[in-house]
Amino acid sequence: MNIEFWFDYASTYSYPAAMRIESVAADNNVSIVWRPFLLGAVFNKQGMNDSPFNVYPAKGEYMWKDMARICSDSNLPFSRPKTFPQHGLLAARVTTRFSDAPWIPKFVRLVYSANFEHNQDISSPSVIEPCLSAVGADVSLVMREAVTEEAKLMLREQTEEAISRGIFGAPSFYVGSELFWGNDRLERAIKWAVEANI
Amino acid sequence: MNIEFWFDYASTYSYPAAMRIESVAADNNVSIVWRPFLLGAVFNKQGMNDSPFNVYPAKGEYMWKDMARICSDSNLPFSRPKTFPQHGLLAARVTTRFSDAPWIPKFVRLVYSANFEHNQDISSPSVIEPCLSAVGADVSLVMREAVTEEAKLMLREQTEEAISRGIFGAPSFYVGSELFWGNDRLERAIKWAVEANI
């Protein structure tokens, strides 16, 4: 059984989802397919050139309070990033290019912590390299591979796939052909995978 | 302890919230303040002249599937309305004008069932009058009062209050000064009321 986890490193609600998906999935013998994409491109297709949380200030103000409550409720550190949304392109390219590497789950969490706990600039190699080093990856190899045309193309194609499959926000989960949207739907998606034996 | 329930009769996710709020609140000794408003006016302020579920088709397509899952999971009948969004103005005026009447909770549920179970036109007096009759209200009095200038003004002011207090969608819940958005947040809002003893 498996679940596709579609996420964007800048996305606020992807943070709690990323921090807990491994344990929720493991508890149910569901494996995870890590599928980063560029949410900004999805918003562009919808005619927005910024996060809806910035386009609609009331929605944004609520989201930050809701995030603080969610993180507090689940004992997850949270600090509102000075820049929102951050640029997750580099981290997303690394993750797409090495999606099957054993260090990916831990790397994903470290990047989210850098963004939403430590308020670091995740577009900077000086932030991403220590994350790679901490998970035991070959830092120089990964950083070199992440900026190849092949890696760039992989992420573009993955983002196109998200759009063509009807993904409109993050985090999203696909279980077979069934789409679930939002951190709130993680448990329902996992249950779907178990019941449908997908 | 009490919770303000802000809802719109056309709003899909307000339907499951409306159908279960009384029992969830009663289980926790929390009382409900019924606060209908016009979500369309809120969207207008955001620059949209239709529901976001129509403006963004991918979001809309997902919402209908998500609604079907939610209703199925909670044994709630659900039939996608032929018209979306419906015009809830008449029902909202009735509810605003008689918000303290003992028959309001049951009336609210009947109108939501008319919309999302029976696919009836809730803008029509021929649908609203039987709902009033079924809950034992004085039908002719209520229908007369619902279209007075006073009733119209009450609903306009309530909608303005929603906007000024940062409500951007429905259902929303206010517990003291704390805002919660979405059917998914009902339990958290009730818990807040209990813990804060509001």
Side-chain angles (χ1 to χ4, degrees), chain B residues 100-111:
Chain B
D100 292 331
W103 46 264
I104 280 291
K106 200 169 172 191
F107 172 76
V108 170
R109 287 196 295 274
L110 285 176
V111 175

Side-chain angles (χ1 to χ4, degrees), chain A residues 13 46 48 56 58-59 62 65-66 69-70 73 166 168 177-181 184-185 188 192, chain B residues 13 46 48 56 58-59 62 65-66 69-70 73 166 168 177-181 184-185 188 192:
Chain A
Y13 288 105
Q46 295 173 352
M48 282 180 284
Y56 304 111
K59 198 167 191 167
Y62 171 77
K65 285 190 185 171
D66 192 47
R69 277 196 308 247
I70 288 171
D73 285 350
F168 56 90
S177 61
E178 197 79 1
L179 175 63
F180 299 83
W181 172 53
D184 294 325
R185 290 289 178 279
R188 189 65 189 85
W192 193 276
Chain B
Y13 288 103
Q46 295 172 353
M48 282 181 283
Y56 304 110
K59 197 166 191 169
Y62 171 78
K65 286 190 184 170
D66 192 48
R69 278 195 308 246
I70 288 172
D73 285 350
F168 56 89
S177 61
E178 197 79 2
L179 175 62
F180 299 82
W181 172 52
D184 294 325
R185 290 289 177 279
R188 189 63 188 88
W192 193 277

Side-chain angles (χ1 to χ4, degrees), chain A:
Chain A
M1 295 178 294
N2 73 62
I3 183 172
E4 293 174 47
F5 177 37
W6 290 82
F7 59 99
D8 178 290
Y9 281 110
S11 151
T12 46
Y13 288 105
S14 294
Y15 166 52
M19 301 311 268
R20 65 204 191 85
I21 190 169
E22 262 216 308
S23 69
V24 179
D27 287 347
N28 292 276
N29 296 313
V30 171
S31 60
I32 302 165
V33 185
W34 302 86
R35 309 212 68 177
F37 70 110
L38 297 179
L39 187 54
V42 176
F43 292 148
N44 284 345
K45 281 264 181 187
Q46 295 173 352
M48 282 180 284
N49 60 6
D50 196 352
S51 163
F53 295 129
N54 292 336
V55 173
Y56 304 111
K59 198 167 191 167
E61 194 182 327
Y62 171 77
M63 178 275 288
W64 293 113
K65 285 190 185 171
D66 192 47
M67 273 297 293
R69 277 196 308 247
I70 288 171
C71 293
S72 168
D73 285 350
S74 42
N75 293 314
L76 207 57
F78 176 69
S79 164
R80 178 174 172 170
K82 280 192 281 282
T83 302
F84 176 82
Q86 286 214 50
H87 297 288
L89 187 66
L90 172 61
R93 282 177 177 160
V94 167
T95 312
T96 311
R97 175 65 185 77
F98 295 91
S99 61
D100 293 330
W103 46 264
I104 279 291
K106 199 170 173 190
F107 173 75
V108 170
R109 287 196 294 274
L110 285 175
V111 175
Y112 274 109
S113 294
N115 189 351
F116 294 107
E117 178 184 355
H118 304 301
N119 219 323
Q120 293 175 312
D121 175 5
I122 61 166
S123 71
S124 168
S126 69
V127 169
I128 297 304
E129 287 173 0
C131 294
L132 287 168
S133 176
V135 300
D138 182 333
V139 178
S140 60
L141 169 81
V142 170
M143 293 299 285
R144 203 166 55 235
E145 283 291 325
V147 293
T148 57
E149 282 309 311
E150 187 197 351
K152 293 176 183 179
L153 183 64
M154 284 175 78
L155 180 60
R156 270 201 301 274
E157 287 179 344
Q158 189 137 285
T159 300
E160 284 304 315
E161 183 183 337
I163 293 170
S164 72
R165 289 173 72 188
I167 287 176
F168 56 90
S172 290
F173 311 96
Y174 251 112
V175 179
S177 61
E178 197 79 1
L179 175 63
F180 299 83
W181 172 53
N183 174 56
D184 294 325
R185 290 289 178 279
L186 172 57
E187 282 74 11
R188 189 65 189 85
I190 293 282
K191 189 164 173 267
W192 193 276
V194 170
E195 288 177 354
N197 199 19
I198 285 170

Side-chain angles (χ1 to χ4, degrees), chain B:
Chain B
M1 295 178 294
N2 73 63
I3 182 171
E4 292 174 49
F5 177 38
W6 290 82
F7 59 100
D8 177 292
Y9 281 110
S11 151
T12 46
Y13 288 103
S14 295
Y15 167 52
M19 300 311 268
R20 65 203 191 86
I21 189 170
E22 262 215 308
S23 69
V24 179
D27 287 347
N28 292 275
N29 296 312
V30 171
S31 59
I32 302 165
V33 184
W34 302 86
R35 309 212 68 177
F37 70 109
L38 298 178
L39 187 55
V42 176
F43 292 149
N44 284 345
K45 281 265 179 185
Q46 295 172 353
M48 282 181 283
N49 58 6
D50 197 350
S51 162
F53 295 129
N54 292 336
V55 174
Y56 304 110
K59 197 166 191 169
E61 194 183 328
Y62 171 78
M63 180 274 288
W64 293 113
K65 286 190 184 170
D66 192 48
M67 273 296 294
R69 278 195 308 246
I70 288 172
C71 292
S72 168
D73 285 350
S74 42
N75 293 315
L76 207 56
F78 176 68
S79 164
R80 179 173 170 170
K82 282 193 282 283
T83 303
F84 177 80
Q86 286 214 48
H87 297 288
L89 187 65
L90 173 60
R93 282 177 178 161
V94 167
T95 312
T96 312
R97 174 64 185 77
F98 293 94
S99 61
D100 292 331
W103 46 264
I104 280 291
K106 200 169 172 191
F107 172 76
V108 170
R109 287 196 295 274
L110 285 176
V111 175
Y112 274 108
S113 294
N115 189 350
F116 294 107
E117 177 184 356
H118 304 301
N119 219 324
Q120 294 175 311
D121 174 5
I122 63 166
S123 72
S124 168
S126 69
V127 169
I128 297 303
E129 287 173 2
C131 294
L132 287 168
S133 177
V135 300
D138 181 332
V139 179
S140 59
L141 169 81
V142 170
M143 292 300 284
R144 204 167 54 234
E145 283 291 325
V147 292
T148 57
E149 282 309 310
E150 189 197 348
K152 294 176 182 178
L153 184 63
M154 284 176 78
L155 181 58
R156 272 202 299 275
E157 287 180 346
Q158 189 137 284
T159 300
E160 283 305 314
E161 184 183 335
I163 293 169
S164 71
R165 288 173 73 187
I167 287 176
F168 56 89
S172 290
F173 312 97
Y174 252 112
V175 179
S177 61
E178 197 79 2
L179 175 62
F180 299 82
W181 172 52
N183 174 57
D184 294 325
R185 290 289 177 279
L186 172 57
E187 282 74 10
R188 189 63 188 88
I190 294 282
K191 189 163 174 266
W192 193 277
V194 171
E195 288 177 355
N197 199 21
I198 283 171

